[in-house]
Amino acid sequence: MTSQGRPDHVWVQEVPERFAFRYEGGKAFVEGVALEDIAAAVGTPTYVYSAAHIADRYRALEASVAGHPTKICYAVKSNGSLAVLRHLQRLGSGADIVSVGEMKRAMAAGITPDKIVFSGVGKTDDELDAAIEAGLRSINAESSEEVTRIEARAKATGKTANVTLRVNPEIDPKTHPYLATGLRDAKFGISMDEATTLARHVHATQGLRLEGIGCHIGSQIADVTPFTESFDRLRTLAKGLQEDGVSLGHIDLGGGFGIAYSESEAELDIAAWGKAVVAASAELDVELMIEPGRYLTGQAGVLITRVVGNKHSPTKGFLIIDAAMNDLLRPALYQAYHAILPVNRPAEDAEVSSVDVVGPVCESGDFLGLERAMPACETGSLLGVLSAGAYGMSMASNYNTRPLPAEVWVDGDRFAVTRPRQTVEELLAVEQVPEWA
Ligand code: LLP
């Protein structure tokens, strides 16, 4: 949350490969487009995504697992923008979805059902019907009760449901407690003890096809070890099943690959992760599947925002901006750090002072950064909030009747609005007051 060392505009310039945001001359760019040009055309707050950055990350991930057949199913929840999905579809990606809404998004972007996996701890019967009807590659079941419901829905629709069992390998991913999903008391996954019996049951049941087993131990994980430890457990389970004649099509290792938001954080070493995973798959005659979200889109996004005012209380300074917790919830919800930089490059010797960068929403938790070492940022000037491509727009809300921000897609020297800024009129138009009230 707070600055841990040097001002963001200093260290960010030393790691240009990490972010889609870069200075050229005195201005900030995403690829060949100046952020001030986007702000002038579209207004603020606006999310901007880089096509090249996403493609580079996709290819790096693909290269890391090149030694073993691996399907990448992008986690739509991290950023479901149709432009992002279409781009990833063209790169060859499938989709990991958690609702029928996300299924429709993925399909609208051209991702075919055979490349879509349906995760989530509480799928309704309607959602199961839609998934079975569409013939998704896999429904990732989270409990024996859910398997029973999938069985019933498959019978009712007269179709076969493809099932993967999501197990809980009970591994501590050493991340923010809200982002850990593979601990013993988590609501996610099937216990290791129950998994073998349930897998045999799915394998033997008409109307169900056992596609594989999988796990997702959490998000924003920077170390390779929790991944290899959970893969070890899954491998043992898979081998036991194979010895029993229960064959598997894939092992789904989930997502969770961590990125570096601040100077002090390290990103997951994806090449080392890939090497470990490929080595561990050597004797397994199954395809691997992964569900990355943040790794592909996180650093590709910048949230542009304008300074609404500067304010000084007796104890501290505030930079008030036009983006708020409703636009980017991560700082308020997870005390997450996002680097915040002026769009006009500060002078090398610019003096900095400590400020809280806050939004206009009526909550003290409405901040995008606390105690940040920032150069003077005049009212009306523009800022870029970095690493905002994942879980930014997808978690945005209308709190305080604030319309959702616009989204812009950048590819080379071109940019296009892929989602116009919502208007208050649109918000009000869907509401009704009963005549009798
Ligand atoms: N697969 C499953 C089953 C998941 O639940 C998730 C994320 C992913 C894949 C993708 O994880 P990723 O590769 O993006 O870490 N809102 C939080 C993150 C919540 C993640 C939930 N599940 C944040 O802003 O950090």
Side-chain angles (χ1 to χ4, degrees), residues 17-281:
E17 67 293 342
R18 192 189 288 181
F19 301 103
F21 177 107
R22 74 188 161 87
Y23 288 120
E24 194 178 304
K27 297 176 182 177
F29 285 76
V30 165
E31 298 192 36
V33 181
L35 292 182
E36 66 176 22
D37 292 346
I38 295 177
V42 186
T44 53
T46 292
Y47 279 99
V48 180
Y49 309 121
S50 157
H53 198 93
I54 294 175
D56 286 349
R57 303 285 280 191
Y58 187 87
R59 292 193 186 107
L61 198 50
E62 217 175 27
S64 75
V65 284
H68 193 92
T70 304
K71 177 99 222 89
I72 299 176
C73 287
Y74 167 66
V76 174
K77 67 166 82 70
S78 66
N79 184 332
S81 155
L82 288 177
V84 169
L85 293 176
R86 172 50 73 96
H87 187 53
L88 284 163
Q89 180 269 336
R90 289 206 178 111
L91 288 162
S93 185
D96 162 51
I97 58 152
V98 287
S99 67
V100 163
E102 288 190 352
M103 179 176 96
K104 290 187 176 167
R105 259 186 192 284
M107 287 181 176
I111 300 178
T112 48
D114 58 311
K115 289 184 169 178
I116 299 178
V117 298
F118 193 173
S119 302
V121 81
K123 306 172 202 81
T124 64
D125 283 357
D126 285 348
E127 289 185 305
L128 291 175
D129 285 353
I132 296 168
E133 202 61 55
L136 297 191
R137 161 75 181 259
S138 177
I139 299 172
N140 293 359
E142 296 254 2
S143 69
S144 55
E145 190 267 359
E146 191 180 27
V147 168
T148 308
R149 282 199 300 124
I150 298 172
E151 209 175 311
R153 298 322 305 163
K155 246 190 212 125
T157 50
K159 297 207 165 167
T160 299
N162 304 320
V163 175
T164 295
L165 297 182
R166 173 178 176 176
V167 300
N168 181 352
E170 296 182 14
I171 297 286
D172 183 356
K174 305 206 168 56
T175 182
H176 188 283
Y178 288 7
L179 305 183
T181 52
L183 296 169
R184 182 184 271 278
D185 55 0
K187 70 176 175 180
F188 302 96
I190 294 158
S191 73
M192 294 297 289
D193 301 341
E194 205 187 346
T196 303
T197 318
L198 200 54
R200 285 201 198 109
H201 169 76
V202 173
H203 177 72
T205 301
Q206 224 192 346
L208 300 182
R209 179 183 299 120
L210 181 66
E211 279 288 325
I213 53 170
C215 71
H216 170 77
I217 55 172
S219 202
Q220 184 51 9
I221 304 168
D223 278 352
V224 173
T225 316
F227 290 107
T228 48
E229 283 177 0
S230 46
F231 191 17
D232 271 354
R233 304 215 169 154
L234 259 59
R235 226 175 29 184
T236 310
L237 180 63
K239 279 187 180 154
L241 288 169
Q242 283 170 340
E243 279 159 21
D244 279 1
V246 179
S247 61
L248 301 173
H250 67 234
I251 292 185
D252 183 345
L253 297 174
F257 315 128
I259 64 172
Y261 287 91
S262 66
E263 185 175 15
S264 60
E265 276 172 294
E267 163 163 313
L268 176 73
D269 180 345
I270 209 72
W273 167 87
K275 211 171 154 194
V277 159
V278 168
S281 319

Side-chain angles (χ1 to χ4, degrees), residues 302-319:
V302 178
L303 174 62
I304 327 177
T305 171
R306 202 175 279 283
V307 177
V308 172
N310 276 268
K311 178 172 172 173
H312 300 275
S313 80
T315 51
K316 55 165 65 174
F318 295 97
L319 205 51

